[in-house]
Short mmCIF file of all heavy atoms in Angstrom, two decimals:
data_model
loop_
_atom_site.label_atom_id
_atom_site.label_comp_id
_atom_site.label_asym_id
_atom_site.label_seq_id
_atom_site.Cartn_x
_atom_site.Cartn_y
_atom_site.Cartn_z
N MET A 1 -40.73 -145.38 -88.26
CA MET A 1 -40.43 -146.76 -88.71
C MET A 1 -40.75 -147.73 -87.57
O MET A 1 -40.20 -147.63 -86.49
CB MET A 1 -38.95 -146.85 -89.09
CG MET A 1 -38.45 -148.28 -89.32
SD MET A 1 -38.59 -148.79 -91.03
CE MET A 1 -38.35 -150.55 -90.84
N THR A 2 -41.65 -148.65 -87.86
CA THR A 2 -42.02 -149.63 -86.85
C THR A 2 -41.46 -151.00 -87.20
O THR A 2 -41.34 -151.35 -88.37
CB THR A 2 -43.56 -149.70 -86.70
OG1 THR A 2 -43.86 -150.70 -85.75
CG2 THR A 2 -44.25 -150.02 -87.99
N TYR A 3 -41.07 -151.75 -86.20
CA TYR A 3 -40.53 -153.09 -86.45
C TYR A 3 -41.45 -154.16 -85.91
O TYR A 3 -41.07 -155.32 -85.81
CB TYR A 3 -39.13 -153.21 -85.85
CG TYR A 3 -39.06 -152.93 -84.37
CD1 TYR A 3 -39.22 -153.95 -83.43
CD2 TYR A 3 -38.83 -151.64 -83.91
CE1 TYR A 3 -39.16 -153.68 -82.08
CE2 TYR A 3 -38.78 -151.37 -82.57
CZ TYR A 3 -38.94 -152.39 -81.65
OH TYR A 3 -38.89 -152.12 -80.32
N ASP A 4 -42.68 -153.78 -85.59
CA ASP A 4 -43.64 -154.72 -85.01
C ASP A 4 -43.92 -155.90 -85.94
O ASP A 4 -44.06 -157.02 -85.49
CB ASP A 4 -44.95 -154.00 -84.70
CG ASP A 4 -44.80 -153.07 -83.51
OD1 ASP A 4 -43.83 -153.26 -82.75
OD2 ASP A 4 -45.62 -152.17 -83.35
N ARG A 5 -44.02 -155.58 -87.24
CA ARG A 5 -44.38 -156.64 -88.20
C ARG A 5 -43.17 -157.13 -88.98
O ARG A 5 -43.33 -157.89 -89.94
CB ARG A 5 -45.45 -156.12 -89.15
CG ARG A 5 -46.80 -155.96 -88.48
CD ARG A 5 -47.83 -155.45 -89.44
NE ARG A 5 -48.96 -154.84 -88.74
CZ ARG A 5 -48.99 -153.61 -88.29
NH1 ARG A 5 -47.95 -152.83 -88.47
NH2 ARG A 5 -50.04 -153.14 -87.66
N LEU A 6 -42.00 -156.70 -88.58
CA LEU A 6 -40.78 -157.10 -89.29
C LEU A 6 -40.43 -158.54 -88.92
O LEU A 6 -40.32 -158.88 -87.75
CB LEU A 6 -39.65 -156.16 -88.88
CG LEU A 6 -38.54 -155.98 -89.91
CD1 LEU A 6 -39.05 -155.25 -91.14
CD2 LEU A 6 -37.42 -155.18 -89.28
N VAL A 7 -40.26 -159.39 -89.94
CA VAL A 7 -39.95 -160.79 -89.71
C VAL A 7 -38.46 -161.01 -89.96
O VAL A 7 -37.91 -160.55 -90.95
CB VAL A 7 -40.81 -161.70 -90.60
CG1 VAL A 7 -40.37 -163.16 -90.47
CG2 VAL A 7 -42.28 -161.57 -90.23
N CYS A 8 -37.83 -161.74 -89.05
CA CYS A 8 -36.40 -162.00 -89.14
C CYS A 8 -36.11 -162.98 -90.27
O CYS A 8 -36.81 -163.97 -90.45
CB CYS A 8 -35.93 -162.58 -87.80
SG CYS A 8 -34.21 -163.03 -87.81
N ALA A 9 -35.04 -162.71 -91.02
CA ALA A 9 -34.65 -163.60 -92.11
C ALA A 9 -33.95 -164.84 -91.57
O ALA A 9 -33.86 -165.85 -92.26
CB ALA A 9 -33.72 -162.85 -93.06
N ASN A 10 -33.47 -164.78 -90.35
CA ASN A 10 -32.71 -165.88 -89.77
C ASN A 10 -33.62 -166.92 -89.11
O ASN A 10 -33.47 -168.11 -89.33
CB ASN A 10 -31.71 -165.32 -88.75
CG ASN A 10 -30.72 -166.36 -88.29
OD1 ASN A 10 -30.17 -167.08 -89.10
ND2 ASN A 10 -30.53 -166.45 -87.01
N CYS A 11 -34.58 -166.47 -88.29
CA CYS A 11 -35.41 -167.42 -87.53
C CYS A 11 -36.88 -167.33 -87.92
O CYS A 11 -37.69 -168.10 -87.43
CB CYS A 11 -35.25 -167.18 -86.03
SG CYS A 11 -35.85 -165.59 -85.49
N ALA A 12 -37.23 -166.42 -88.83
CA ALA A 12 -38.59 -166.29 -89.36
C ALA A 12 -39.64 -166.00 -88.30
O ALA A 12 -40.81 -166.26 -88.49
CB ALA A 12 -38.98 -167.53 -90.16
N SER A 13 -39.22 -165.44 -87.16
CA SER A 13 -40.20 -164.95 -86.18
C SER A 13 -40.11 -163.44 -86.09
O SER A 13 -39.14 -162.85 -86.57
CB SER A 13 -39.99 -165.59 -84.81
OG SER A 13 -38.66 -165.95 -84.63
N PRO A 14 -41.10 -162.80 -85.50
CA PRO A 14 -41.07 -161.33 -85.45
C PRO A 14 -39.81 -160.82 -84.75
O PRO A 14 -39.43 -161.32 -83.70
CB PRO A 14 -42.33 -160.98 -84.63
CG PRO A 14 -43.21 -162.16 -84.79
CD PRO A 14 -42.31 -163.36 -84.87
N VAL A 15 -39.19 -159.81 -85.37
CA VAL A 15 -37.95 -159.24 -84.83
C VAL A 15 -38.19 -158.68 -83.42
O VAL A 15 -37.32 -158.74 -82.56
CB VAL A 15 -37.43 -158.14 -85.78
CG1 VAL A 15 -36.33 -157.30 -85.14
CG2 VAL A 15 -36.90 -158.79 -87.06
N SER A 16 -39.42 -158.17 -83.19
CA SER A 16 -39.73 -157.56 -81.90
C SER A 16 -39.64 -158.58 -80.75
O SER A 16 -39.49 -158.20 -79.60
CB SER A 16 -41.13 -156.95 -81.93
OG SER A 16 -42.09 -157.92 -82.29
N GLU A 17 -39.72 -159.87 -81.06
CA GLU A 17 -39.63 -160.90 -80.02
C GLU A 17 -38.18 -161.20 -79.65
O GLU A 17 -37.92 -161.76 -78.58
CB GLU A 17 -40.33 -162.19 -80.48
CG GLU A 17 -41.85 -162.01 -80.51
CD GLU A 17 -42.56 -163.30 -80.92
OE1 GLU A 17 -41.95 -164.38 -80.87
OE2 GLU A 17 -43.73 -163.21 -81.30
N GLY A 18 -37.24 -160.86 -80.52
CA GLY A 18 -35.82 -161.03 -80.22
C GLY A 18 -35.43 -162.46 -79.92
O GLY A 18 -34.74 -162.72 -78.94
N ARG A 19 -35.83 -163.40 -80.74
CA ARG A 19 -35.57 -164.82 -80.47
C ARG A 19 -34.16 -165.26 -80.82
O ARG A 19 -33.70 -166.29 -80.34
CB ARG A 19 -36.57 -165.68 -81.25
CG ARG A 19 -37.96 -165.58 -80.66
CD ARG A 19 -38.88 -166.61 -81.27
NE ARG A 19 -40.27 -166.36 -80.88
CZ ARG A 19 -41.28 -167.10 -81.32
NH1 ARG A 19 -41.09 -168.09 -82.15
NH2 ARG A 19 -42.50 -166.83 -80.93
N CYS A 20 -33.48 -164.55 -81.70
CA CYS A 20 -32.12 -164.94 -82.07
C CYS A 20 -31.22 -163.69 -82.10
O CYS A 20 -31.73 -162.58 -82.06
CB CYS A 20 -32.13 -165.67 -83.42
SG CYS A 20 -32.29 -164.56 -84.83
N PRO A 21 -29.91 -163.88 -82.14
CA PRO A 21 -29.01 -162.72 -82.13
C PRO A 21 -29.27 -161.75 -83.27
O PRO A 21 -29.11 -160.53 -83.11
CB PRO A 21 -27.61 -163.35 -82.26
CG PRO A 21 -27.76 -164.73 -81.74
CD PRO A 21 -29.16 -165.15 -82.11
N VAL A 22 -29.69 -162.27 -84.43
CA VAL A 22 -29.98 -161.40 -85.57
C VAL A 22 -31.17 -160.50 -85.25
O VAL A 22 -31.16 -159.30 -85.51
CB VAL A 22 -30.25 -162.24 -86.84
CG1 VAL A 22 -30.68 -161.35 -88.00
CG2 VAL A 22 -29.01 -163.05 -87.22
N CYS A 23 -32.20 -161.08 -84.63
CA CYS A 23 -33.37 -160.31 -84.21
C CYS A 23 -32.97 -159.20 -83.25
O CYS A 23 -33.37 -158.06 -83.42
CB CYS A 23 -34.36 -161.22 -83.47
SG CYS A 23 -35.25 -162.36 -84.52
N ARG A 24 -32.19 -159.58 -82.24
CA ARG A 24 -31.82 -158.61 -81.20
C ARG A 24 -30.98 -157.48 -81.78
O ARG A 24 -31.16 -156.32 -81.41
CB ARG A 24 -31.08 -159.33 -80.07
CG ARG A 24 -32.04 -160.13 -79.19
CD ARG A 24 -31.39 -160.62 -77.92
NE ARG A 24 -30.49 -161.74 -78.18
CZ ARG A 24 -30.86 -163.02 -78.18
NH1 ARG A 24 -32.11 -163.33 -77.94
NH2 ARG A 24 -29.99 -163.97 -78.41
N ALA A 25 -30.08 -157.81 -82.72
CA ALA A 25 -29.24 -156.78 -83.35
C ALA A 25 -30.11 -155.83 -84.17
O ALA A 25 -29.95 -154.61 -84.08
CB ALA A 25 -28.20 -157.44 -84.23
N SER A 26 -31.05 -156.39 -84.93
CA SER A 26 -31.94 -155.56 -85.75
C SER A 26 -32.79 -154.66 -84.87
O SER A 26 -32.97 -153.48 -85.15
CB SER A 26 -32.86 -156.44 -86.60
OG SER A 26 -32.12 -157.33 -87.37
N ARG A 27 -33.29 -155.25 -83.78
CA ARG A 27 -34.16 -154.50 -82.88
C ARG A 27 -33.40 -153.33 -82.25
O ARG A 27 -33.90 -152.22 -82.19
CB ARG A 27 -34.68 -155.45 -81.80
CG ARG A 27 -35.86 -154.90 -81.04
CD ARG A 27 -36.43 -155.90 -80.08
NE ARG A 27 -35.39 -156.48 -79.22
CZ ARG A 27 -35.64 -157.28 -78.19
NH1 ARG A 27 -36.87 -157.62 -77.92
NH2 ARG A 27 -34.67 -157.77 -77.46
N GLU A 28 -32.19 -153.59 -81.81
CA GLU A 28 -31.38 -152.53 -81.19
C GLU A 28 -31.09 -151.41 -82.18
O GLU A 28 -31.19 -150.23 -81.86
CB GLU A 28 -30.06 -153.11 -80.67
CG GLU A 28 -30.11 -153.35 -79.17
CD GLU A 28 -28.84 -153.99 -78.66
OE1 GLU A 28 -27.75 -153.51 -79.04
OE2 GLU A 28 -28.93 -154.98 -77.92
N ARG A 29 -30.74 -151.81 -83.41
CA ARG A 29 -30.44 -150.81 -84.43
C ARG A 29 -31.66 -149.95 -84.73
O ARG A 29 -31.58 -148.73 -84.81
CB ARG A 29 -29.95 -151.53 -85.70
CG ARG A 29 -29.45 -150.60 -86.78
CD ARG A 29 -28.79 -151.37 -87.91
NE ARG A 29 -29.62 -152.47 -88.40
CZ ARG A 29 -30.60 -152.32 -89.29
NH1 ARG A 29 -30.86 -151.13 -89.78
NH2 ARG A 29 -31.31 -153.34 -89.69
N LEU A 30 -32.83 -150.62 -84.85
CA LEU A 30 -34.05 -149.89 -85.16
C LEU A 30 -34.44 -148.98 -84.01
O LEU A 30 -34.95 -147.88 -84.23
CB LEU A 30 -35.18 -150.88 -85.46
CG LEU A 30 -35.04 -151.58 -86.82
CD1 LEU A 30 -35.99 -152.77 -86.89
CD2 LEU A 30 -35.33 -150.62 -87.95
N GLN A 31 -34.20 -149.43 -82.78
CA GLN A 31 -34.55 -148.60 -81.63
C GLN A 31 -33.66 -147.38 -81.56
O GLN A 31 -34.10 -146.29 -81.22
CB GLN A 31 -34.43 -149.42 -80.34
CG GLN A 31 -35.66 -150.28 -80.11
CD GLN A 31 -35.52 -151.18 -78.91
OE1 GLN A 31 -34.41 -151.43 -78.44
NE2 GLN A 31 -36.63 -151.68 -78.42
N GLN A 32 -32.38 -147.55 -81.90
CA GLN A 32 -31.46 -146.41 -81.89
C GLN A 32 -31.87 -145.40 -82.96
O GLN A 32 -31.84 -144.21 -82.72
CB GLN A 32 -30.03 -146.89 -82.14
CG GLN A 32 -29.39 -147.37 -80.84
CD GLN A 32 -28.00 -147.94 -81.05
OE1 GLN A 32 -27.58 -148.14 -82.19
NE2 GLN A 32 -27.31 -148.22 -79.98
N GLU A 33 -32.26 -145.91 -84.13
CA GLU A 33 -32.70 -145.03 -85.20
C GLU A 33 -33.97 -144.31 -84.80
O GLU A 33 -34.14 -143.13 -85.06
CB GLU A 33 -32.93 -145.83 -86.48
CG GLU A 33 -31.63 -146.15 -87.20
CD GLU A 33 -31.84 -147.12 -88.35
OE1 GLU A 33 -32.99 -147.36 -88.73
OE2 GLU A 33 -30.83 -147.64 -88.84
N GLY A 34 -34.88 -145.04 -84.13
CA GLY A 34 -36.15 -144.47 -83.72
C GLY A 34 -35.99 -143.37 -82.68
O GLY A 34 -36.80 -142.46 -82.61
N MET A 35 -34.91 -143.47 -81.89
CA MET A 35 -34.68 -142.51 -80.82
C MET A 35 -34.55 -141.09 -81.38
O MET A 35 -34.97 -140.13 -80.75
CB MET A 35 -33.39 -142.88 -80.09
CG MET A 35 -33.42 -142.62 -78.61
SD MET A 35 -32.15 -143.56 -77.77
CE MET A 35 -30.68 -142.95 -78.52
N PHE A 36 -33.95 -140.98 -82.56
CA PHE A 36 -33.75 -139.66 -83.15
C PHE A 36 -34.92 -139.24 -84.03
O PHE A 36 -34.94 -138.13 -84.53
CB PHE A 36 -32.44 -139.64 -83.95
CG PHE A 36 -31.23 -139.80 -83.08
CD1 PHE A 36 -30.57 -141.00 -83.00
CD2 PHE A 36 -30.78 -138.72 -82.32
CE1 PHE A 36 -29.47 -141.16 -82.17
CE2 PHE A 36 -29.68 -138.88 -81.49
CZ PHE A 36 -29.02 -140.09 -81.42
N GLY A 37 -35.89 -140.13 -84.22
CA GLY A 37 -37.13 -139.81 -84.93
C GLY A 37 -36.96 -139.06 -86.23
O GLY A 37 -37.57 -138.02 -86.42
N GLY A 38 -36.13 -139.55 -87.12
CA GLY A 38 -35.96 -138.91 -88.42
C GLY A 38 -34.94 -137.79 -88.42
O GLY A 38 -34.74 -137.14 -89.43
N LEU A 39 -34.31 -137.56 -87.27
CA LEU A 39 -33.26 -136.53 -87.21
C LEU A 39 -31.96 -137.15 -87.72
O LEU A 39 -31.22 -137.79 -86.98
CB LEU A 39 -33.12 -136.05 -85.77
CG LEU A 39 -32.58 -134.63 -85.61
CD1 LEU A 39 -33.54 -133.62 -86.23
CD2 LEU A 39 -32.39 -134.31 -84.13
N THR A 40 -31.71 -136.99 -88.99
CA THR A 40 -30.53 -137.59 -89.64
C THR A 40 -29.29 -136.74 -89.35
O THR A 40 -29.41 -135.59 -88.94
CB THR A 40 -30.77 -137.66 -91.15
OG1 THR A 40 -30.98 -136.34 -91.63
CG2 THR A 40 -31.95 -138.52 -91.49
N PRO A 41 -28.10 -137.30 -89.56
CA PRO A 41 -26.88 -136.50 -89.40
C PRO A 41 -26.91 -135.23 -90.23
O PRO A 41 -26.45 -134.18 -89.79
CB PRO A 41 -25.77 -137.44 -89.88
CG PRO A 41 -26.31 -138.81 -89.62
CD PRO A 41 -27.80 -138.70 -89.84
N ALA A 42 -27.50 -135.30 -91.42
CA ALA A 42 -27.61 -134.11 -92.28
C ALA A 42 -28.47 -133.05 -91.60
O ALA A 42 -28.17 -131.86 -91.65
CB ALA A 42 -28.20 -134.51 -93.62
N ALA A 43 -29.55 -133.48 -90.96
CA ALA A 43 -30.43 -132.55 -90.26
C ALA A 43 -29.70 -131.93 -89.07
O ALA A 43 -29.88 -130.74 -88.78
CB ALA A 43 -31.68 -133.29 -89.78
N LEU A 44 -28.89 -132.73 -88.38
CA LEU A 44 -28.12 -132.20 -87.25
C LEU A 44 -27.13 -131.15 -87.71
O LEU A 44 -26.96 -130.11 -87.07
CB LEU A 44 -27.38 -133.35 -86.55
CG LEU A 44 -28.25 -134.25 -85.67
CD1 LEU A 44 -27.45 -135.46 -85.21
CD2 LEU A 44 -28.79 -133.50 -84.47
N ILE A 45 -26.48 -131.40 -88.84
CA ILE A 45 -25.51 -130.45 -89.39
C ILE A 45 -26.24 -129.16 -89.80
O ILE A 45 -25.78 -128.06 -89.52
CB ILE A 45 -24.75 -131.08 -90.58
CG1 ILE A 45 -23.81 -132.17 -90.07
CG2 ILE A 45 -23.96 -130.01 -91.34
CD1 ILE A 45 -23.28 -133.09 -91.15
N ALA A 46 -27.40 -129.30 -90.44
CA ALA A 46 -28.19 -128.14 -90.84
C ALA A 46 -28.58 -127.30 -89.62
O ALA A 46 -28.52 -126.07 -89.65
CB ALA A 46 -29.43 -128.59 -91.58
N LEU A 47 -28.94 -127.99 -88.54
CA LEU A 47 -29.30 -127.32 -87.29
C LEU A 47 -28.11 -126.55 -86.73
O LEU A 47 -28.22 -125.42 -86.28
CB LEU A 47 -29.77 -128.38 -86.29
CG LEU A 47 -30.52 -127.87 -85.06
CD1 LEU A 47 -31.87 -127.29 -85.45
CD2 LEU A 47 -30.71 -129.02 -84.07
N LEU A 48 -26.94 -127.19 -86.78
CA LEU A 48 -25.70 -126.57 -86.30
C LEU A 48 -25.37 -125.32 -87.11
O LEU A 48 -25.04 -124.27 -86.56
CB LEU A 48 -24.57 -127.59 -86.39
CG LEU A 48 -23.28 -127.23 -85.64
CD1 LEU A 48 -23.52 -127.26 -84.13
CD2 LEU A 48 -22.18 -128.22 -85.99
N VAL A 49 -25.49 -125.44 -88.43
CA VAL A 49 -25.22 -124.30 -89.32
C VAL A 49 -26.19 -123.16 -89.02
O VAL A 49 -25.79 -121.99 -88.95
CB VAL A 49 -25.32 -124.74 -90.80
CG1 VAL A 49 -25.32 -123.53 -91.73
CG2 VAL A 49 -24.17 -125.68 -91.16
N ALA A 50 -27.46 -123.48 -88.78
CA ALA A 50 -28.46 -122.47 -88.47
C ALA A 50 -28.12 -121.76 -87.16
O ALA A 50 -28.25 -120.53 -87.05
CB ALA A 50 -29.83 -123.13 -88.37
N LEU A 51 -27.65 -122.53 -86.17
CA LEU A 51 -27.27 -121.94 -84.89
C LEU A 51 -26.09 -120.99 -85.05
O LEU A 51 -26.07 -119.90 -84.46
CB LEU A 51 -26.91 -123.06 -83.90
CG LEU A 51 -28.10 -123.77 -83.25
CD1 LEU A 51 -27.63 -124.97 -82.44
CD2 LEU A 51 -28.87 -122.82 -82.33
N ILE A 52 -25.11 -121.41 -85.86
CA ILE A 52 -23.94 -120.57 -86.10
C ILE A 52 -24.36 -119.28 -86.81
O ILE A 52 -23.92 -118.18 -86.46
CB ILE A 52 -22.87 -121.35 -86.92
CG1 ILE A 52 -22.27 -122.45 -86.06
CG2 ILE A 52 -21.77 -120.39 -87.41
CD1 ILE A 52 -21.46 -123.48 -86.85
N ALA A 53 -25.27 -119.41 -87.80
CA ALA A 53 -25.75 -118.24 -88.54
C ALA A 53 -26.44 -117.25 -87.60
O ALA A 53 -26.23 -116.04 -87.68
CB ALA A 53 -26.72 -118.69 -89.63
N VAL A 54 -27.24 -117.77 -86.68
CA VAL A 54 -27.93 -116.91 -85.70
C VAL A 54 -26.92 -116.23 -84.79
O VAL A 54 -27.03 -115.03 -84.50
CB VAL A 54 -28.94 -117.76 -84.88
CG1 VAL A 54 -29.45 -116.98 -83.67
CG2 VAL A 54 -30.11 -118.19 -85.77
N ALA A 55 -25.90 -116.98 -84.37
CA ALA A 55 -24.87 -116.43 -83.50
C ALA A 55 -24.11 -115.31 -84.21
O ALA A 55 -23.84 -114.26 -83.63
CB ALA A 55 -23.92 -117.54 -83.06
N VAL A 56 -23.77 -115.52 -85.49
CA VAL A 56 -23.06 -114.51 -86.27
C VAL A 56 -23.93 -113.27 -86.45
O VAL A 56 -23.46 -112.14 -86.28
CB VAL A 56 -22.64 -115.10 -87.65
CG1 VAL A 56 -22.16 -114.00 -88.59
CG2 VAL A 56 -21.54 -116.16 -87.46
N LEU A 57 -25.20 -113.45 -86.76
CA LEU A 57 -26.13 -112.34 -86.93
C LEU A 57 -26.26 -111.54 -85.64
O LEU A 57 -26.23 -110.30 -85.65
CB LEU A 57 -27.50 -112.87 -87.36
CG LEU A 57 -27.66 -113.12 -88.87
CD1 LEU A 57 -28.99 -113.80 -89.14
CD2 LEU A 57 -27.57 -111.81 -89.66
N ALA A 58 -26.40 -112.25 -84.53
CA ALA A 58 -26.53 -111.59 -83.23
C ALA A 58 -25.28 -110.79 -82.92
O ALA A 58 -25.35 -109.67 -82.40
CB ALA A 58 -26.77 -112.65 -82.16
N HIS A 59 -24.13 -111.35 -83.27
CA HIS A 59 -22.85 -110.67 -83.03
C HIS A 59 -22.75 -109.41 -83.89
O HIS A 59 -22.33 -108.35 -83.41
CB HIS A 59 -21.70 -111.62 -83.36
CG HIS A 59 -20.35 -111.02 -83.15
ND1 HIS A 59 -19.81 -110.83 -81.90
CD2 HIS A 59 -19.43 -110.55 -84.02
CE1 HIS A 59 -18.62 -110.26 -82.03
NE2 HIS A 59 -18.36 -110.08 -83.31
N GLU A 60 -23.19 -109.51 -85.15
CA GLU A 60 -23.13 -108.36 -86.06
C GLU A 60 -24.07 -107.26 -85.60
O GLU A 60 -23.75 -106.08 -85.69
CB GLU A 60 -23.47 -108.82 -87.48
CG GLU A 60 -22.23 -109.39 -88.17
CD GLU A 60 -22.52 -109.78 -89.60
OE1 GLU A 60 -23.56 -109.35 -90.13
OE2 GLU A 60 -21.69 -110.50 -90.18
N MET A 61 -25.24 -107.66 -85.09
CA MET A 61 -26.21 -106.68 -84.59
C MET A 61 -25.68 -105.98 -83.35
O MET A 61 -25.90 -104.79 -83.13
CB MET A 61 -27.53 -107.39 -84.25
CG MET A 61 -28.42 -107.54 -85.46
SD MET A 61 -29.98 -108.25 -84.91
CE MET A 61 -30.35 -109.33 -86.23
N ALA A 62 -24.94 -106.71 -82.54
CA ALA A 62 -24.39 -106.15 -81.30
C ALA A 62 -23.28 -105.15 -81.59
O ALA A 62 -23.11 -104.18 -80.85
CB ALA A 62 -23.89 -107.28 -80.42
N THR A 63 -22.52 -105.40 -82.65
CA THR A 63 -21.38 -104.53 -82.96
C THR A 63 -21.77 -103.38 -83.88
O THR A 63 -21.05 -102.40 -83.96
CB THR A 63 -20.25 -105.36 -83.61
OG1 THR A 63 -20.79 -106.09 -84.70
CG2 THR A 63 -19.62 -106.30 -82.62
N ALA A 64 -22.90 -103.50 -84.59
CA ALA A 64 -23.30 -102.46 -85.56
C ALA A 64 -23.78 -101.19 -84.85
O ALA A 64 -24.35 -101.25 -83.79
CB ALA A 64 -24.40 -103.01 -86.46
ZN1 ZN B 1 -34.27 -163.91 -85.62
#
């Protein structure tokens, strides 16, 4: 998701320029979202579940 061409509804200038508080808030939010690059909370939970499954399997293999 890019915000380069996103225009602010408050000041009608590009959000990337951060000319008003609304721009800066939107920019910060988008940057935080971009940091995880599509890694949603659901994806994080799925990753956690997969790790637990691997740990359980490894434990069962060790005890079998
Ligand atoms: Zn603005």
Side-chain angles (χ1 to χ4, degrees):
M1 169 92 194
T2 178
Y3 57 91
D4 289 341
R5 288 180 201 83
L6 207 67
V7 173
C8 177
N10 191 46
C11 65
S13 27
V15 167
S16 57
E17 289 182 17
R19 288 190 190 178
C20 78
V22 175
C23 287
R24 285 192 285 271
S26 304
R27 195 174 51 172
E28 260 177 47
R29 187 171 50 83
L30 287 166
Q31 278 176 341
Q32 276 176 351
E33 281 171 13
M35 216 161 61
F36 294 102
L39 206 63
T40 60
L44 285 172
I45 290 166
L47 194 68
L48 193 68
V49 169
L51 281 172
I52 290 167
V54 168
V56 168
L57 276 173
H59 180 75
E60 277 183 15
M61 275 185 218
T63 52

